[in-house]
Amino acid sequence: MANSAPIGIFDSGYGGLTVFRSIADLLPQYDYIYLGDNARAPYGNRSFDTVHQYTLECVKWFFGQGCPLVILACNTASAKALRTIQQRDLQGLGADKRVLGVIRPTAEVIGNYTKTKSVGVLGTKGTISSGSYEIEIHHFFPEIKVHQMACPMWVPLIENGEYNRPGADYFVVKYLDQLISSAPDIDTILLACTHYPLLINKIKKFLPENIKVVSQGPIVADSLSDYLLRHPEMEQRLSKSGAKRFFTTDDTADFDMHGGAFWGERVKSEVVNLG
Ligand code: DGL
C-alpha cells in the first residue's frame, strides 16, 4: 500500500473486527489497516496509565503506516486513553491526524432504543469503572437511567474460543441476572465491549424477549460515515482502493484461526513488533 492513506482500526485483540466488519460493509471504498494488540490483551483490567501507554504506542504505529484517521474500536481504550491522546498527545504527533473512539457515537443514539428510559451497559471492568458511558449518555439523554455491569470473564472466554460452548452459559447468566435483578425496568442492553457481539446469541437466549440487545458495529459505522461527510478535508486525504490488511502483535496463526469468527470470513494477518 505505498503512498496509501488507510483508515486505522484498533482493538486490544479480536473484538474490533466486529466493528471493522460493519465499517467495511458500509464504506467499502476506503483502504483499511486493522491492528489487534493480542500480545497484551485483554486490556479490560489494566490501569489508566497502562491502557494509555499501550494504545498510544499502537496509534503511533498507525500514523507511521500513513493513516490520517484512527478509530479505537475498543471501549476500554476509548474510555481510558482517547481523551489524553486527543487532548495531549496528538499535538506532538501531527495536528492534521485524528483519533476517534466508540463511546460517544454510541451514547449519541442509545436513547432512541429505550422506551422505559432504563438502559443496561455491559463492558469490561475498565470501561465500567471509568464511568464514561454514564457521563456520555447523560450528556445527550439526561433522563435515562444507566445501569452498568462489568463482565470480566467474558473477554477471556471469547478470546479463548469458548463463546459458543456450554461452559460460557454460567458466566453469561451470572452477569445478566445481576444486572436485571438490580434494575427490572431495563428494556435495552448495550454491549459496550466490541468482543461481546460474539456472545449475542447466548445473551439473547437468557434475556426476556422485551429486552433489546444493541451491538455497536452498525452505530459506529454510521457515525464514521457521517463524520467523513462533515469533514471533506479528511475524506479527501483517504486512499480508496478497497484494500484491507490485518496486523497482530502476537502469533499470526492464532489470529487467523480466531479472527475469522469476529470478521465473518477467513483473515490472513501479518505480525507487528511494536518494540
Ligand atoms: N474489545 C475491548 C472493548 O471493547 C475489550 C477487550 C479487552 O479487555 O481487552 O472494551
Side-chain angles (χ1 to χ4, degrees):
M1 263 194 235
N3 298 322
S4 72
I7 297 173
I9 313 264
F10 170 72
D11 184 44
S12 58
Y14 303 111
L17 289 168
T18 61
V19 174
F20 183 16
R21 180 82 257 178
S22 299
I23 291 176
D25 286 348
L26 187 68
L27 304 167
Q29 66 272 41
Y30 298 107
D31 295 335
Y32 296 95
I33 292 184
Y34 181 88
L35 174 62
D37 190 10
N38 298 78
R40 302 184 291 193
Y43 281 13
N45 291 335
R46 297 193 189 276
S47 70
F48 265 90
D49 283 350
T50 304
V51 173
H52 170 248
Q53 181 206 321
Y54 289 176
T55 306
L56 182 59
E57 281 171 21
C58 294
V59 165
K60 286 181 181 167
W61 177 82
F62 279 114
F63 289 167
Q65 300 298 306
C67 299
L69 175 63
V70 177
I71 313 294
L72 303 184
C74 173
N75 287 274
T76 311
S78 298
K80 291 188 147 185
L82 181 63
R83 187 178 293 263
T84 315
I85 290 175
Q86 285 177 332
Q87 294 182 354
R88 197 187 69 190
D89 306 319
L90 265 185
Q91 288 163 15
L93 293 172
D96 59 341
K97 307 235 182 1
R98 290 289 172 272
V99 181
L100 305 175
V102 290
I103 296 181
R104 178 162 275 246
T106 310
E108 258 172 21
V109 299
I110 197 67
N112 306 336
Y113 292 84
T114 172
K115 289 201 170 59
T116 60
K117 304 292 173 210
S118 183
V119 172
V121 175
L122 302 176
T124 65
K125 196 167 145 253
T127 298
I128 298 307
S129 66
S130 75
S132 302
Y133 269 99
E134 201 162 13
I135 295 165
E136 291 288 346
I137 291 174
H138 284 155
H139 181 77
F140 297 104
F141 304 101
E143 72 285 7
I144 288 183
K145 281 176 277 158
V146 179
H147 307 276
Q148 303 194 83
M149 174 71 55
C151 310
M153 287 305 292
W154 284 7
V155 169
L157 283 170
I158 294 165
E159 288 270 316
N160 289 292
E162 294 290 328
Y163 54 88
N164 54 8
R165 303 224 173 94
D169 291 10
Y170 172 82
F171 285 106
V172 170
V173 171
K174 176 182 156 105
Y175 300 132
L176 292 179
D177 276 1
Q178 278 175 28
L179 179 69
I180 301 301
S181 57
S182 72
D185 61 339
I186 285 174
D187 69 349
T188 304
I189 289 186
L190 170 63
L191 304 185
C193 171
T194 56
H195 282 65
Y196 295 174
L198 270 273
L199 282 174
I200 198 160
N201 290 336
K202 280 194 193 290
I203 293 170
K204 284 183 173 165
K205 180 171 140 200
F206 293 114
L207 279 176
E209 268 183 17
N210 66 310
I211 299 185
K212 285 191 250 5
V213 182
V214 179
S215 300
Q216 294 177 293
I219 295 173
V220 174
D222 281 345
S223 166
L224 176 60
S225 168
D226 182 57
Y227 174 87
L228 294 174
L229 283 175
R230 287 184 291 107
H231 293 87
E233 77 292 350
M234 172 60 76
E235 201 283 333
Q236 281 153 21
R237 286 166 66 194
L238 298 170
S239 53
K240 302 172 186 74
S241 66
K244 298 174 195 67
R245 290 175 76 183
F246 300 85
F247 291 87
T248 174
T249 54
D250 206 349
D251 189 62
T252 54
D254 267 0
F255 191 93
D256 298 354
M257 191 165 69
H258 294 301
F262 295 78
W263 176 244
E265 60 187 287
R266 206 171 166 275
V267 290
K268 183 93 192 81
S269 62
E270 301 164 61
V271 73
V272 165
N273 186 346
L274 294 173

